[in-house]
Amino acid sequence: MKLLILSLCIIANLSNNGKASLESFMPTKDNMILADTTKGSDKSCSRPCKFNVKPRRCTYDFEISPSIEENGRPALTINNLTPGPAIRVCLHDIVIVKVKNKVPNQDVTLHWHGVEQKGTPYMDGVPMITQCPIVFGSTYEYAFIASSPGTFFYHTDSVSHQSDGVYGSLIVDQPQPLEPHASLYDYDRSEEHTLMVGAKFNELLTGHLEGVNQIRPDNLSVNGDEMDTKIFVMQGYGYRLRLINAIALECPLLINVERHPMTIIASDANPLQPVITDAVRLYPGERMDVVVRTDQQSGGYWVRVSGEGVCEGLSAHAMLLYSGFNYTTMLEQGPNPESETNYDTITDSQHLPSLREASPVPSVKSVYLSIDKNSPKFKDADIDFSYRSDAMSKKPFFPAVLSSVKSVVQINGKNFLYPDAPYLLKPRDVHPNIICNVGEENEQMEPQCLQVLKAQANEVIELVLGNEGFNTNDSYTFHMHGQKMQVIATWQNPKNVPVSKSEIYKLYSEDIVTRNERNPPLKDTFVVPNKGFTVVRYTPIYGGSWLLECRSCSTILPVAILINVPISIPKLVIDALPSCGNYRPADLLLN
Ligand SMILES: *[C@@H]1O[C@H](CO)[C@@H](O)[C@H](O)[C@H]1NC(C)=O
Ligand SMILES: *[C@@H]1O[C@H](CO)[C@@H](O)[C@H](O)[C@H]1NC(C)=O
Ligand SMILES: *[C@@H]1O[C@H](CO)[C@@H](O)[C@H](O)[C@H]1NC(C)=O
């Protein structure tokens, strides 16, 4: 990874500059200094993983701040880097990340995308749900156990902060004999062979999203670069590559390596039955692990990433370089645009069977969620996106100006409302009026409320997500926090006409649509196709307040419901966590 970020010193005083715009804190060309590139990857825990050795405590210091790239693009960075430092640990290690917010006027939290947070639901990183937001100048100490192996990433909860650059990879390795597909590859060097795709914008999105509904990135990047990322390989071996779509917009990606078919072995950190393909399609928030065999003539080959959806027409490249190959000319000539994206096979992971069979379930509780675009029934004045916390001054999280917006994506006709106290930690402090329970429809309820689905541990829930398509032609990608779900069925109307809830139930219950109950893929990120539906099933095991969210549905309004699984968090822990407005170290939380 080449690090392009230049750093800055912000000497800002919150009380004096509380109302200044973010731009006034951006560095000028004159006060940029070169970043210390050794910060790029924390080596403290990166090691070959062995059996019977004590897990380590892996500690990282993250400082989130505005910065400017070499090419003049503004960005939000972690330790002056975008993407942020790569975290690479072994299974069962304790990951501790001290996050300091140095972005004036902005609250942040970090979400560990795909991490199950067994026993640590308050480390999931959703503001006012699992924690108080980290206000400017303060620090939050995330601490969790890397309890399952695979490819993950982290990002800020806010779509605009993530889009401006605050994201990074998180890889959990395990002793090689435990890897179910170890026989398919010779090298698994996650520190060199992780390709994380992000979007780049010529302007900062943070503070500029008011009333903006449709956002199109200016460029795509692989590990922060548009063309410069290099993967060095030797001829005649199998290499495991980890692909991450770190974009928070409806931007599916096609990824292919010239003349090298890929074998998909995992998606969203879940091992799959291997499938060979020319190209993969990766939806926002999805990860795929693939094996590439270097059995071609020694040389250099382009890894091509091309965007779909709002990223249609955009591309980024990396290079797969056989050892000894002089790539100077290849880089000068650049990729050949003619030959791109004409792939014989393109594979999505949502249909691929898991390696392991699922246990049969006796009965399921079915819940229908309707996802559609509607005209908001509320007026600007009715909207309150503040965290409504008494302890904090009112801080708009998402802009409250909707005048230019004709329609917004809603779940069951409602938009998400942040509660007035962290729901997980202080449920009794949340005003009952703002909560609406899924399945208890109440016409009187405001169109904006905290929609909660009350689940019980070990009760099998089947969510039927219907994207009926009466008011929209968009497909939507959802992300489930805390636990993976089985994708049982997914269907898109070949006639390309809208489908109603009753038609969806008929198709599903009468087995007209293929169901996979035997070995469904386990995913934390899945697509609900337009004029179609997706059925996901899971058995909640871990207590917590888990968001089921569509990060790519809207840049201006959160689109989510909360799935609450009862848990009793010890008072000791609640007292040790920062309450909204002050901070105490979270060190004792894992003991
Ligand atoms: C970034 O995007 C601009 C405009 O879309 C394009 O002209 C430029 O070539 C892109 N940069 C790279 C390195 O692809
Ligand atoms: C690689 O090729 C370029 C251009 O042909 C040449 O200038 C350069 O010296 C070569 N580098 C090596 C290490 O051979
Ligand atoms: C969806 O696509 C159809 C056919 O192309 C078009 O007639 C319709 O206006 C589109 N609907 C929306 C909401 O864009």
Side-chain angles (χ1 to χ4, degrees):
M1 176 171 53
K2 196 170 158 211
L3 307 162
L4 290 177
I5 292 307
L6 303 171
S7 74
L8 71 148
C9 304
I10 298 171
I11 302 150
N13 177 319
L14 181 63
S15 55
N16 290 346
N17 293 305
K19 292 204 174 64
S21 76
L22 192 56
E23 275 63 29
S24 61
F25 298 95
M26 296 304 289
T28 61
K29 285 261 183 217
D30 297 337
N31 59 17
M32 295 192 294
I33 50 165
L34 259 179
D36 171 7
T37 54
T38 57
K39 286 182 189 165
S41 173
D42 188 317
K43 298 282 188 288
S44 64
C45 275
S46 182
R47 64 196 191 276
C49 303
K50 300 209 170 85
F51 288 107
N52 301 324
V53 288
K54 256 184 83 177
R56 289 192 195 169
R57 282 171 79 96
C58 311
T59 306
Y60 305 83
D61 282 299
F62 280 14
E63 197 171 280
I64 306 182
S65 64
S67 206
I68 292 200
E69 294 187 44
E70 216 168 44
N71 56 17
R73 249 191 246 256
L76 296 185
T77 59
I78 299 177
N79 303 347
N80 288 316
L81 302 168
T82 176
I87 298 182
R88 182 174 173 241
V89 298
C90 290
L91 189 62
H92 307 311
D93 280 349
I94 296 171
V95 181
I96 297 172
V97 185
K98 295 173 187 163
V99 178
K100 178 153 197 185
N101 175 10
K102 294 193 78 181
V103 189
N105 307 325
Q106 301 290 318
D107 295 338
V108 301
T109 56
L110 278 194
H111 170 59
W112 313 92
H113 195 105
V115 174
E116 286 176 329
Q117 301 294 359
K118 288 182 190 176
T120 48
Y122 35 81
M123 294 300 174
D124 192 42
V126 183
M128 297 316 278
I129 300 295
T130 63
Q131 69 171 97
C132 295
I134 313 169
V135 297
F136 173 71
S138 68
T139 306
Y140 190 93
E141 191 168 313
Y142 289 96
F144 55 87
I145 293 168
S147 58
S148 51
T151 305
F152 306 90
F153 73 117
Y154 61 83
H155 54 76
T156 33
D157 174 79
S158 149
V159 168
S160 58
H161 295 162
Q162 182 184 344
S163 302
D164 286 334
V166 189
Y167 61 88
S169 62
L170 166 58
I171 311 293
V172 182
D173 282 327
Q174 61 184 342
Q176 220 237 357
L178 293 178
E179 287 289 347
H181 290 308
S183 64
L184 296 180
Y185 52 88
D186 305 287
Y187 293 102
D188 176 14
R189 292 185 177 155
S190 52
E191 67 276 46
E192 297 161 41
H193 296 158
T194 299
L195 299 179
M196 194 167 28
V197 183
K200 295 216 177 235
F201 299 84
N202 292 336
E203 308 288 337
L204 276 189
L205 293 193
T206 302
H208 295 272
L209 285 183
E210 298 209 349
V212 182
N213 212 5
Q214 187 69 282
I215 285 165
R216 189 185 140 84
D218 296 299
N219 292 93
L220 297 180
S221 68
V222 178
N223 298 347
D225 277 318
E226 279 136 37
M227 243 168 67
D228 259 355
T229 298
K230 300 172 189 76
I231 306 166
F232 293 102
V233 294
M234 292 176 294
Q235 195 178 27
Y237 294 97
Y239 288 86
R240 176 175 179 169
L241 306 183
R242 296 161 188 267
L243 313 174
I244 303 171
N245 182 340
I247 303 174
L249 303 170
E250 198 52 49
C251 177
L253 300 169
L254 293 185
I255 304 180
N256 142 287
V257 186
E258 260 184 326
R259 282 199 249 158
H260 291 73
M262 295 184 257
T263 306
I264 303 171
I265 57 169
S267 88
D268 294 1
N270 174 54
L272 299 173
Q273 294 178 17
V275 174
I276 298 175
T277 183
D278 286 338
V280 296
R281 180 180 283 110
L282 215 57
Y283 289 90
E286 264 194 312
R287 291 90 63 209
M288 259 196 228
D289 293 19
V290 300
V291 173
V292 169
R293 291 211 72 85
T294 51
D295 52 8
Q296 293 297 305
Q297 199 184 343
S298 181
Y301 300 88
W302 288 107
V303 178
R304 303 155 171 153
V305 179
S306 33
E308 297 183 328
V310 296
C311 294
E312 187 76 49
L314 299 180
S315 64
H317 293 81
M319 289 187 280
L320 182 80
L321 299 169
Y322 284 49
S323 62
F325 177 72
N326 182 346
Y327 55 83
T328 316
T329 321
M330 179 182 174
L331 194 53
E332 277 167 11
Q333 287 177 347
N336 173 10
E338 300 288 297
S339 59
E340 302 210 353
T341 66
N342 268 332
Y343 309 125
D344 288 340
T345 48
I346 299 173
T347 309
D348 298 19
S349 69
Q350 190 153 318
H351 305 268
L352 302 180
S354 272
L355 189 62
R356 298 186 193 99
E357 302 224 336
S359 340
V361 291
S363 64
V364 294
K365 173 177 152 182
S366 176
V367 176
Y368 187 76
L369 299 176
S370 142
I371 301 132
D372 208 349
K373 253 188 183 167
N374 301 308
S375 308
K377 291 196 194 86
F378 34 77
K379 297 188 285 293
D380 282 359
D382 299 333
I383 306 259
D384 183 357
F385 291 107
S386 316
Y387 289 125
R388 292 205 199 181
S389 166
D390 287 338
M392 299 165 59
S393 57
K394 284 205 163 194
K395 283 173 183 287
F397 183 61
F398 281 87
V401 181
L402 282 176
S403 34
S404 64
V405 177
K406 291 190 188 66
S407 60
V408 291
V409 182
Q410 298 185 316
I411 300 177
N412 292 343
K414 296 183 183 69
N415 279 103
F416 187 81
L417 182 66
Y418 282 95
D420 47 346
Y423 186 87
L424 173 72
L425 306 172
K426 312 240 157 125
R428 283 193 205 89
D429 292 358
V430 176
H431 200 288
N433 273 354
I434 69 169
I435 297 175
C436 51
N437 293 312
V438 173
E440 292 170 22
E441 297 310 320
N442 177 354
E443 286 305 312
Q444 300 305 308
M445 203 69 218
E446 290 183 50
Q448 204 196 4
C449 56
L450 176 63
Q451 232 179 141
V452 180
L453 173 62
K454 288 183 181 159
Q456 297 303 323
N458 300 316
E459 160 197 64
V460 188
I461 299 178
E462 191 167 85
L463 300 176
V464 180
L465 292 99
N467 181 352
E468 300 166 12
F470 288 99
N471 302 324
T472 175
N473 292 328
D474 298 335
S475 294
Y476 299 116
T477 306
F478 276 77
H479 171 53
M480 178 65 198
H481 289 230
Q483 219 178 314
K484 290 197 246 298
M485 292 177 150
Q486 302 173 330
V487 182
I488 300 287
T490 185
W491 180 83
Q492 182 162 34
N493 194 346
K495 294 188 197 122
N496 197 27
V497 291
V499 282
S500 64
K501 175 180 173 179
S502 58
E503 286 172 286
I504 288 175
Y505 264 95
K506 190 167 156 37
L507 284 161
Y508 182 59
S509 56
E510 295 179 6
D511 286 341
I512 298 166
V513 169
T514 319
R515 262 196 260 203
N516 182 2
E517 296 186 15
R518 195 164 71 86
N519 50 16
L522 285 170
K523 293 187 61 63
D524 55 59
T525 305
F526 51 86
V527 181
V528 184
N530 185 255
K531 300 175 179 53
F533 65 93
T534 290
V535 179
V536 290
R537 186 187 277 184
Y538 91 124
T539 311
I541 304 173
Y542 313 115
S545 301
W546 309 111
L547 219 55
L548 171 65
E549 61 169 335
C550 177
R551 287 184 69 71
S552 56
C553 281
S554 168
T555 45
I556 48 165
L557 292 172
V559 176
I561 65 164
L562 196 62
I563 302 185
N564 193 64
V565 185
I567 184 173
S568 156
I569 299 176
K571 188 170 179 302
L572 187 72
V573 170
I574 294 177
D575 289 348
L577 287 165
S579 60
C580 298
N582 60 37
Y583 172 71
R584 275 193 268 161
D587 218 14
L588 65 105
L589 301 174
L590 287 162
N591 297 331

